[in-house]
Amino acid sequence: MFILGLQGSPRKGGNTDILLATFLEKAAAAGAAVQTIQVARAGITPCKGCGYCESHGTCVIADDPMAKQIFGLLRQADMVVAASPIYFYGASAQLKVLIDRCQTLWSRKYAFKLKDPLVATREGILLSVAASRGRQLFDGLQLTAKYFFDAIDARFSQALTYRGIEGKGAIRDQAGVAGDIDAIIEKSVRPLVARKGILFVSRQGACRAPLAAAMAQQRYGDRIRATFGALQPAATLSAPMRQMMQNLGVDLGYWQPAPLDDAMHGLRPDLVVTIGAAATEPPIAGVETVNWPIPAAPDADDAAEALRLTMATHVDGLIHWIEAPISRK
Ligand SMILES: Cc1cc2nc3c(=O)[nH]c(=O)nc-3n(C[C@H](O)[C@H](O)[C@H](O)COP(=O)(O)O)c2cc1C
């Protein structure tokens, strides 16, 4: 399970930073892989409001960290934790810049009618602090979070908000924070960590492995976490395969071929499926490995559809492994 934290305060080592780091430390101890984006220092370009994404499905700003890294991480995340101090009854401007750029994901979902393969299980958590104690203090941020999480195909499941937190580090003296976080870890993180992990491997990770991962994730929902890796990663996904899935309403837009080490964010899968003559030896030592002898498909539309049908039969066959008990040491 992979959790992406968005640290929205410009104050390094401040209350939001501490709160998010505490959450992610506890999540990591429960078995999650975690990563934090320090949003204020990420160099994200603000949305231009040009409307390009609503007609093209991609952002016209293609050369900043949002385009090159963060859209992809949002698509890989099983949980997104958005953390912000209250600034004038809303999100910090720094976090809002990231949120506004997600208009691209909103467009893919609502204008292009595409669904992310992880839509059924991705969760959104909000963390916030504020100095005063007003009754409506977090209402503005809650609304922004609601629509942000909806755009990134995450279910807004829980929020932890703390009033009367002002000086740098004051959150450390707030009673109950550790217990509040522990409750979210038990309710939301542990069930996602407990799913069986499957890593699909093909030579270039451009067509067969991502197709298998997307189909398995959709087919088995919250029972598994499927991902894919490559022995020699190609630069991009196969265009006919991506288009075929898009025609079926499945969004692989920000998926990229990745080396095996990156594919699971450092976690060990429970099963590795090598596809084609990918390797003579299991690519990850000590992990159960099976081979699906499916040859690479030519880069053509009809070949992509034939591959999908073959893959569906193999993905169906995974049910026996999914239903068998596993023991993790
Ligand atoms: C620009 C700015 C605007 C703020 N607006 C509010 C506000 O509207 N209501 C409030 O209670 N606190 C407000 N605060 C206080 C912060 O929310 C509070 O100090 C918080 O603990 C800072 O978190 P941090 O250490 O993570 O930056 C504001 C602080 C700043 C710098």
Side-chain angles (χ1 to χ4, degrees):
M1 178 211 184
F2 171 54
I3 305 181
L4 182 65
L6 307 174
Q7 201 290 95
S9 171
R11 187 149 71 160
K12 211 173 181 178
N15 299 312
T16 310
D17 208 1
I18 294 168
L19 187 57
L20 178 61
T22 308
F23 184 100
L24 294 180
E25 274 162 29
K26 285 176 176 284
V34 301
Q35 184 172 339
T36 303
I37 305 287
Q38 294 288 342
V39 175
R41 283 172 282 285
I44 302 169
T45 304
C47 174
K48 297 175 193 290
C50 65
Y52 184 92
C53 63
E54 284 154 37
S55 53
H56 291 76
T58 54
C59 185
V60 74
I61 305 163
D63 58 355
D64 80 334
M66 195 73 198
K68 290 185 172 171
Q69 183 201 13
I70 299 171
F71 281 133
L73 289 172
L74 287 168
R75 288 306 210 205
Q76 289 170 47
D78 298 292
M79 176 178 280
V80 175
V81 184
S84 177
I86 291 295
Y87 278 5
F88 286 90
Y89 275 74
S92 71
Q94 290 81 355
L95 183 63
K96 192 64 169 34
V97 167
L98 183 152
I99 290 173
D100 288 350
R101 286 289 297 284
C102 291
Q103 181 70 2
T104 297
L105 301 182
W106 183 95
S107 296
R108 297 181 78 82
K109 179 172 182 173
Y110 288 108
F112 289 80
K113 310 264 184 263
L114 297 175
K115 270 191 181 165
D116 187 84
L118 293 178
V119 62
T121 48
R122 183 178 294 121
E123 292 207 21
I125 306 280
L126 174 66
L127 306 179
S128 186
V129 292
S132 66
R133 297 188 176 273
R135 195 171 55 83
Q136 294 176 300
L137 198 47
F138 297 102
D139 290 6
L141 178 60
Q142 290 260 9
L143 271 176
T144 301
K146 177 179 170 185
Y147 291 100
F148 166 57
F149 287 134
D150 180 70
I152 64 167
D153 269 344
R155 187 174 65 87
F156 184 6
S157 63
Q158 292 165 86
L160 295 181
T161 55
Y162 299 98
R163 293 174 163 79
I165 307 292
E166 185 159 22
K168 191 172 180 178
I171 189 71
R172 290 191 202 281
D173 302 323
Q174 173 74 31
V177 173
D180 293 345
I181 294 174
D182 286 342
I184 296 184
I185 302 291
E186 290 307 315
K187 187 166 175 229
S188 295
V189 175
R190 286 201 194 278
L192 291 173
V193 167
R195 296 173 301 173
K196 292 181 176 182
I198 307 182
L199 173 64
F200 293 94
V201 179
S202 59
R203 195 166 56 81
Q204 293 196 301
C207 185
R208 290 167 295 172
L211 177 62
M215 292 176 71
Q217 193 66 58
Q218 283 208 303
R219 168 95 165 74
Y220 299 111
D222 61 357
R223 303 173 74 183
I224 62 160
R225 175 62 163 99
T227 184
F228 67 99
L231 301 173
Q232 297 147 21
T236 58
L237 244 52
S238 147
M241 189 279 287
R242 198 196 301 251
Q243 185 60 50
M244 171 189 68
M245 292 302 273
Q246 185 153 326
N247 294 345
L248 296 168
V250 183
D251 191 4
L252 305 188
Y254 288 94
W255 285 23
Q256 282 294 332
L260 300 185
D261 288 349
D262 295 355
M264 296 288 297
H265 300 278
L267 298 176
R268 279 168 76 81
D270 300 298
L271 177 71
V272 174
V273 177
T274 58
I275 307 180
T280 49
E281 290 181 15
I284 301 182
V287 177
E288 181 184 352
T289 303
V290 297
N291 180 258
W292 290 356
I294 303 174
D299 242 7
D301 295 349
D302 53 347
E305 179 57 19
L307 178 65
R308 190 178 70 80
L309 297 175
T310 306
M311 201 64 82
T313 312
H314 285 76
V315 168
D316 285 349
L318 278 174
I319 188 68
H320 306 293
W321 178 82
I322 289 169
E323 291 193 333
I326 52 160
S327 68
R328 286 181 182 148
K329 292 175 198 97

